[in-house]
Amino acid sequence: MVDQTRAQWRDRSHFLAVAANAMRRILVDHARAHAAHKRGSGFGKVSLDDGLMASHDRSRELVAIDDALQTLAQMDPDKARLVELRFFGGLSIEESAEVMKVSVATANRHWRMAKAWLYGQLQEA
Amino acid sequence: MAPERWRRMEEIFENALTLDPGARETYAANACGEDSALLAEVKALLRQDAEAGTFIETPAIETAGGVGGGADPFESQRVGAYRIEREIGRGGMGAVYRAVRDDDAFSKAVAVKIIRPGMDSADIIQRFRRERRILALLDHPFIARLLDGGTTPSGQPYFVMELVHGSAIASYCERRKVPLRGRLKLFLDVCAAVAHAHQNLIIHRDLKPANILVTEEGTVKLLDFGIAKVLQEDESAPDQTRVGAAAFTPAYATPEQVQGQPVTTATDVYALGLILYELLSGAKAQNVSSLSQADVQRVVCERDPEPAPGIPDDIERIIFKALRKEPARRYQTVNQLAEDVERYLEGRPVTARADTFFYRAGRFVSRNKLGVGAAVAVVVSLAAGVAVAAWQARIAREHFNSVRSLAKSLLTEIHPAIENVPGSTKARHLIVERSLQYLDRVSATAPDNIELMNEMAEAYQTIGAIQGNRNRANLGDYGGALASYQKALQVRRRIAGRSSDPTNRHWISMLLAESARIYPGSDESVLLAREAVKEAQAVLIAEPRFLNTLAAAQFGLAYVLWTREEAPEAIAVFEQSLENMIKAKRSVNNHAVIHRYLALIYFGQGSLKQAEAHYQKARQYSEQRLQEAPTPRSRTDVSYDYAGLARCWARMGREAEALEIALKAETIRREVAAADPADRRAATAAADIDEDLAVILARLGRRSEAVLRIERALAAHEGFVRQAPGSPEELYELARVRTSAGEVYGMLGMCPKAEAAIAGARGIFEKQGRKVSLAALGRLAPCGRSGG
């Protein structure tokens, strides 16, 4: 499995970017599936245990962030990409700057605005 | 919003941020001119910027699936005697709630910290109980008291603390614009609290500004004292590499924590240095913005903080001395650090001035040495990362049905492929960690299908075995193994709720017994082992062919009882197990094992005749087996019985016979060990015969031979502990050999050595919370008691 895929990465930055995008899809798909699953009445009441394991609200938050990111990508693709790298890919600001080929200072500015804007979108949602 | 308009908003927003908070709105109003809609957008954005806090700062993977934990489920719930009112904070380890005592007429408010799922609860609670007595010693006006702890109905550990009304020290200083001297004085209060804890031999390990509150009256209160220790792995195992439940915060981690080295008071000194830096400069000294291990490692272990404007030179020197990468080069105590700050406040020269230049020059050299190792680590984690990403991409396509390919590829293909590759421990940890994350997420979506659940339980069992099954190469992560077994148990119990499949119940019993064996000395282990027996009995009623399960569960219970020196019951249960094994026609090898344990118990009680009789029975079985199949294993088994007989005879005054048969055992063991140097069991056996021979030789008065042997045995066992850090079993064995050393030195009249050996043994026994019976202590041969 390792050998099959390794050839596809052009360099470390490319790998990190692809990984971040994959993580986003996995987490959000999972969250969506989960939110849908819970809406179905198959399970009846949510016990304390179920609620914790499932982290119900967290799923909804992830879905909302994903939706908002799609909106953001239309106005400002760089900021959306930065959030994907950091929030979904778990990269540091330095790593993200490296992947996006911008300075750390620029990445920091992008991050602050993207974060503030997303925060507002989630308050409204 | 149109892109041009967005750009305009961005420009105004960014310019505004360069100004003081008070001046921002005025600037924005001017910049927006007539466009009131744009102004509203910019103002909202500025407000959101101020409020967003840690929003999306923690990578999603850290909180997704089974490891996150929504807040709501706990609200208006009871936890122990407390009723949760509302959430007041949350962090990497879990959430903090305001709560009141439900049964209390005065209903005093407290803070309840609930540890997030995924950190293994049984282990934490066991450690908490061990620590509670010590924590009760912490009574200081600047330390928030830890009042209670336990587990929630769903098994999550929680801690109850004094509720403090205040704000985190950094924001307190910021908000009140506390001047430099005021900040230094607050810092000295923090030092006083930490020093008090150190005097009580308690290390905080997770000091950070968020853990230090200042009340409106300006009183400092340190939170979470002792919790980090309870949450962390056993510190008696210094050089393990664990990814598990290390309870530190990356930005405030110390080099020794990141490298898995022992935590000392110097760890808190380092953290205090980080805090002082942040208090005075407003910036974090260690800028760890991703949680990748390589990143944390690089920042914490290699990078010195940037010199910050606004920090006076002498204070900067003090900070840098506290922040030395090598613990030994920091201030040796918190008081020394505090005294240097006091010297500065009084205008006297600080001691940190002395060796700054040489220190920095030295650091440059060692930093470049580190580079090589760090590069290797990055390559390893990246390679594992590729595998994980590819695997995750597949999950994205196949989603949860891919649990099969996950379990198969990650656990049964990739892991075995690297299992024996030297230096693959980190990658193996990563694989275990990722498999767990994935399984946890899948299990959260609750498959409704028994076949799938069975596979999930099996996957958890496999992970548990990789983490800590003593019968194979394991990661030494016993806490993690216990947690995985518990997860397997949860799934199996759900299956049991829907199907009476006896095989599933057989596994429940075996998982309980396996969990019990992980920390054999504890109270919990006895409860688990008893439950295992009960479950096995229930299976047996349904299916007589499961007699083996009962015999195995009884064996587990007897073993646990034996480690707790509960001799009478251990004997009874071993005998029941033996009886069932005979009925179930299990191999005679198992009979020999039980006779051997029975012999050990009787020997421990001083019932030499019974011990001898059981060793003779075991010897019959083992010699018979040796004739049928002379394998290394059967040869070693025979040697166990020879050595046992030697121990009995030595104490029955038959030293000559004892020496003869012990030498026979030695010959066998040395041959077996020489044939396969990688065979750990044989190496242990070879070391142990030295111990037995030392006792016999000491009784015969052959002093120099006895000393040589016992020292060799001690050295070998110390080596085993180093090789398997974290293994309570290895530590226990070392303690046992030290006990024998006490006996040997005692007989030879070497009192200081005898006392040191006994103290060393006792230290381990007590640390493991083991019950040490008077009989065992009696055998410690107090000096002055000759021959015995």
Side-chain angles (χ1 to χ4, degrees), chain B residues 624-636:
Chain B
Q624 179 194 333
R625 219 179 122 79
L626 178 63
Q627 285 208 323
E628 291 161 8
T631 62
R633 171 111 201 194
S634 63
R635 300 187 69 195
T636 313

Side-chain angles (χ1 to χ4, degrees), chain B residues 271-334:
Chain B
L272 285 168
L274 295 175
I275 290 165
L276 185 55
Y277 181 97
E278 189 168 337
L279 269 187
L280 301 188
S281 73
K284 284 191 173 52
Q286 294 182 153
N287 192 1
V288 183
S289 42
S290 97
L291 293 173
S292 83
Q293 214 177 338
D295 189 42
V296 174
Q297 182 109 15
R298 193 176 62 237
V299 172
V300 175
C301 301
E302 294 166 39
R303 204 181 291 164
D304 289 325
E306 302 289 321
I311 300 185
D313 282 356
D314 272 353
I315 291 291
E316 188 182 296
R317 289 194 181 94
I318 291 175
I319 292 172
F320 277 80
K321 182 162 179 184
L323 291 183
R324 298 275 159 86
K325 303 299 181 192
E326 309 86 342
R329 303 205 47 192
R330 296 173 203 152
Y331 290 102
Q332 284 311 289
T333 63
V334 175

Side-chain angles (χ1 to χ4, degrees), chain B residues 565-720:
Chain B
E565 309 226 358
E566 292 180 11
E569 200 190 348
I571 291 173
V573 181
F574 269 129
E575 279 171 351
Q576 289 163 10
S577 172
L578 180 61
E579 196 182 311
N580 287 327
M581 280 184 188
I582 293 169
K583 269 198 232 158
K585 303 199 169 50
R586 285 196 52 163
S587 108
V588 292
N589 192 32
N590 289 318
H591 304 177
V593 170
I594 292 187
H595 280 301
R596 227 165 269 141
Y597 274 112
L598 284 167
L600 269 176
I601 297 174
Y602 283 120
F603 182 83
Q605 292 181 324
S607 312
L608 298 176
K609 278 240 167 302
Q610 276 123 313
E612 186 200 2
H614 279 288
Y615 275 128
Q616 291 286 22
K617 280 202 179 129
R619 174 194 188 172
Q620 270 175 26
Y621 285 122
S622 57
E623 284 184 339
Q624 179 194 333
R625 219 179 122 79
L626 178 63
Q627 285 208 323
E628 291 161 8
T631 62
R633 171 111 201 194
S634 63
R635 300 187 69 195
T636 313
D637 282 349
V638 169
S639 81
Y640 284 141
D641 300 329
Y642 291 170
L645 286 169
R647 281 194 292 273
C648 292
W649 291 342
R651 284 169 180 76
M652 293 162 94
R654 294 155 65 179
E655 282 93 353
E657 284 166 89
L659 184 59
E660 190 189 346
I661 200 164
L663 289 170
K664 255 167 90 176
E666 184 185 27
T667 308
I668 295 174
R669 291 188 188 180
R670 299 242 180 265
E671 280 172 15
V672 173
D676 182 4
D679 184 345
R680 257 307 304 285
R681 190 169 180 260
T684 312
D688 287 348
I689 198 67
D690 271 331
E691 178 194 348
D692 291 328
L693 279 162
V695 174
I696 298 167
L697 290 163
R699 298 181 70 95
L700 288 167
R702 288 159 68 168
R703 182 189 173 100
S704 56
E705 290 164 88
V707 169
L708 182 89
R709 298 257 185 197
I710 198 65
E711 278 173 0
R712 210 156 67 182
L714 281 169
H717 273 278
E718 276 155 12
F720 296 150

Side-chain angles (χ1 to χ4, degrees), chain B residues 182-193:
Chain B
R183 289 177 197 223
L184 290 175
K185 283 186 177 144
L186 281 175
F187 179 75
L188 286 175
D189 286 348
V190 175
C191 289

Side-chain angles (χ1 to χ4, degrees), chain B residues 421-698:
Chain B
V421 177
S424 69
T425 312
K426 262 189 195 161
R428 291 168 62 208
H429 272 296
L430 199 75
I431 285 176
V432 164
E433 192 191 11
R434 291 301 150 104
S435 322
L436 270 176
Q437 277 175 359
Y438 177 57
L439 277 172
D440 287 350
R441 258 182 272 147
V442 173
S443 82
T445 57
D448 213 20
N449 161 327
I450 289 193
E451 196 191 337
L452 256 178
M453 287 199 266
N454 262 315
E455 283 184 9
M456 244 162 52
E458 270 164 38
Y460 278 128
Q461 281 164 215
T462 307
I463 291 176
I466 293 172
Q467 289 169 311
N469 185 322
R470 296 185 194 289
N471 296 329
R472 55 185 277 186
N474 66 62
L475 294 175
D477 180 6
Y478 300 109
L482 195 58
S484 299
Y485 287 149
Q486 279 177 344
K487 286 174 185 163
L489 260 176
Q490 270 177 14
V491 177
R492 293 219 172 272
R493 289 219 153 104
R494 263 174 42 214
I495 300 175
R498 309 204 359 223
S499 136
S500 55
D501 175 18
T503 309
N504 183 54
R505 302 190 68 180
H506 153 83
W507 278 116
I508 291 179
S509 172
M510 291 300 96
L511 280 165
L512 288 166
E514 225 6 79
S515 305
R517 276 186 50 195
I518 289 181
Y519 293 108
S522 64
D523 293 343
E524 286 84 352
S525 67
V526 179
L527 294 177
L528 287 171
R530 286 194 200 285
E531 222 184 314
V533 170
K534 223 187 272 172
E535 190 68 35
Q537 281 163 340
V539 180
L540 192 60
I541 293 169
E543 290 272 344
R545 69 194 162 92
F546 282 90
L547 188 57
N548 262 336
T549 308
L550 179 59
Q554 285 170 328
F555 178 81
L557 173 59
Y559 171 81
V560 169
L561 289 167
W562 170 66
T563 61
R564 288 169 58 88
E565 309 226 358
E566 292 180 11
E569 200 190 348
I571 291 173
V573 181
F574 269 129
E575 279 171 351
Q576 289 163 10
S577 172
L578 180 61
E579 196 182 311
N580 287 327
M581 280 184 188
I582 293 169
K583 269 198 232 158
K585 303 199 169 50
R586 285 196 52 163
S587 108
V588 292
N589 192 32
N590 289 318
H591 304 177
V593 170
I594 292 187
H595 280 301
R596 227 165 269 141
Y597 274 112
L598 284 167
L600 269 176
I601 297 174
Y602 283 120
F603 182 83
Q605 292 181 324
S607 312
L608 298 176
K609 278 240 167 302
Q610 276 123 313
E612 186 200 2
H614 279 288
Y615 275 128
Q616 291 286 22
K617 280 202 179 129
R619 174 194 188 172
Q620 270 175 26
Y621 285 122
S622 57
E623 284 184 339
Q624 179 194 333
R625 219 179 122 79
L626 178 63
Q627 285 208 323
E628 291 161 8
T631 62
R633 171 111 201 194
S634 63
R635 300 187 69 195
T636 313
D637 282 349
V638 169
S639 81
Y640 284 141
D641 300 329
Y642 291 170
L645 286 169
R647 281 194 292 273
C648 292
W649 291 342
R651 284 169 180 76
M652 293 162 94
R654 294 155 65 179
E655 282 93 353
E657 284 166 89
L659 184 59
E660 190 189 346
I661 200 164
L663 289 170
K664 255 167 90 176
E666 184 185 27
T667 308
I668 295 174
R669 291 188 188 180
R670 299 242 180 265
E671 280 172 15
V672 173
D676 182 4
D679 184 345
R680 257 307 304 285
R681 190 169 180 260
T684 312
D688 287 348
I689 198 67
D690 271 331
E691 178 194 348
D692 291 328
L693 279 162
V695 174
I696 298 167
L697 290 163

Side-chain angles (χ1 to χ4, degrees), chain B residues 99-321:
Chain B
V100 290
R101 255 194 99 91
D102 228 8
D103 55 359
D104 192 343
F106 303 99
S107 63
K108 189 172 184 280
V110 294
V112 174
K113 181 166 199 154
I114 299 183
I115 306 304
R116 71 175 192 198
M119 307 189 82
D120 46 273
S121 5
D123 199 23
I124 289 174
I125 287 306
Q126 195 190 330
R127 269 179 265 141
F128 175 71
R129 291 196 185 130
R130 217 179 294 151
E131 291 297 316
R132 174 143 52 182
R133 203 166 35 88
I134 305 168
L135 295 175
L137 294 175
L138 275 192
D139 189 5
H140 191 276
F142 300 157
I143 297 178
R145 298 208 54 162
L146 187 59
L147 303 168
D148 198 0
T151 41
T152 65
S154 59
Q156 284 167 262
Y158 67 85
F159 301 97
V160 181
M161 287 167 291
E162 176 189 343
L163 181 67
V164 179
H165 297 279
S167 30
I169 188 163
S171 53
Y172 176 91
C173 290
E174 219 42 58
R175 202 159 33 82
R176 301 209 167 192
K177 304 215 181 320
V178 179
L180 176 72
R181 294 184 74 85
R183 289 177 197 223
L184 290 175
K185 283 186 177 144
L186 281 175
F187 179 75
L188 286 175
D189 286 348
V190 175
C191 289
V194 176
H196 171 80
H198 287 182
Q199 278 153 20
N200 286 293
L201 303 179
I202 298 166
I203 304 167
H204 192 295
R205 295 158 194 245
D206 194 22
L207 283 171
K208 55 187 171 187
N211 273 340
I212 303 167
L213 298 191
V214 183
T215 67
E216 285 309 300
E217 296 80 48
T219 308
V220 162
K221 284 275 187 186
L222 263 67
L223 308 182
D224 285 359
F225 242 115
I227 291 185
K229 170 153 194 214
V230 174
L231 292 182
Q232 246 163 6
E233 306 297 338
D234 190 353
E235 81 283 17
S236 64
D239 40 14
Q240 57 209 332
T241 46
R242 281 178 198 238
V243 186
F248 57 76
T249 312
Y252 302 97
T254 65
E256 58 268 27
Q257 283 172 317
V258 170
Q259 291 168 341
Q261 278 163 9
V263 165
T264 65
T265 51
T267 305
D268 283 348
V269 169
Y270 187 95
L272 285 168
L274 295 175
I275 290 165
L276 185 55
Y277 181 97
E278 189 168 337
L279 269 187
L280 301 188
S281 73
K284 284 191 173 52
Q286 294 182 153
N287 192 1
V288 183
S289 42
S290 97
L291 293 173
S292 83
Q293 214 177 338
D295 189 42
V296 174
Q297 182 109 15
R298 193 176 62 237
V299 172
V300 175
C301 301
E302 294 166 39
R303 204 181 291 164
D304 289 325
E306 302 289 321
I311 300 185
D313 282 356
D314 272 353
I315 291 291
E316 188 182 296
R317 289 194 181 94
I318 291 175
I319 292 172
F320 277 80
K321 182 162 179 184

Side-chain angles (χ1 to χ4, degrees), chain A residues 18-120:
Chain A
V18 173
N21 186 264
M23 295 284 283
R24 175 176 172 187
R25 276 187 288 118
I26 294 158
L27 291 170
V28 174
D29 281 359
H30 173 74
R32 281 189 204 281
H34 186 251
H37 195 71
K38 283 286 171 191
R39 274 198 295 278
S41 58
F43 272 77
K45 81 176 177 65
V46 179
S47 73
L48 185 64
D49 244 15
D50 283 347
L52 274 176
M53 289 296 286
S55 56
H56 195 48
D57 282 342
R58 188 71 191 165
S59 298
R60 245 184 272 152
E61 188 182 80
L62 274 184
V63 172
I65 289 176
D66 183 61
D67 288 343
L69 269 187
Q70 290 178 22
T71 311
L72 180 60
Q74 287 163 14
M75 299 181 293
D76 197 336
D78 280 354
K79 288 195 180 59
R81 197 155 156 247
L82 175 64
V83 174
E84 180 174 286
L85 291 171
R86 292 208 58 198
F87 182 64
F88 287 106
L91 302 196
S92 67
I93 198 87
E94 288 84 1
E95 284 168 331
S96 308
E98 184 192 326
V99 171
M100 297 184 64
K101 303 192 169 48
V102 297
S103 72
V104 174
T106 304
N108 268 319
R109 275 193 290 112
H110 281 333
W111 176 250
R112 195 155 172 192
M113 169 124 168
K115 180 173 148 183
W117 185 82
L118 280 172
Y119 181 77

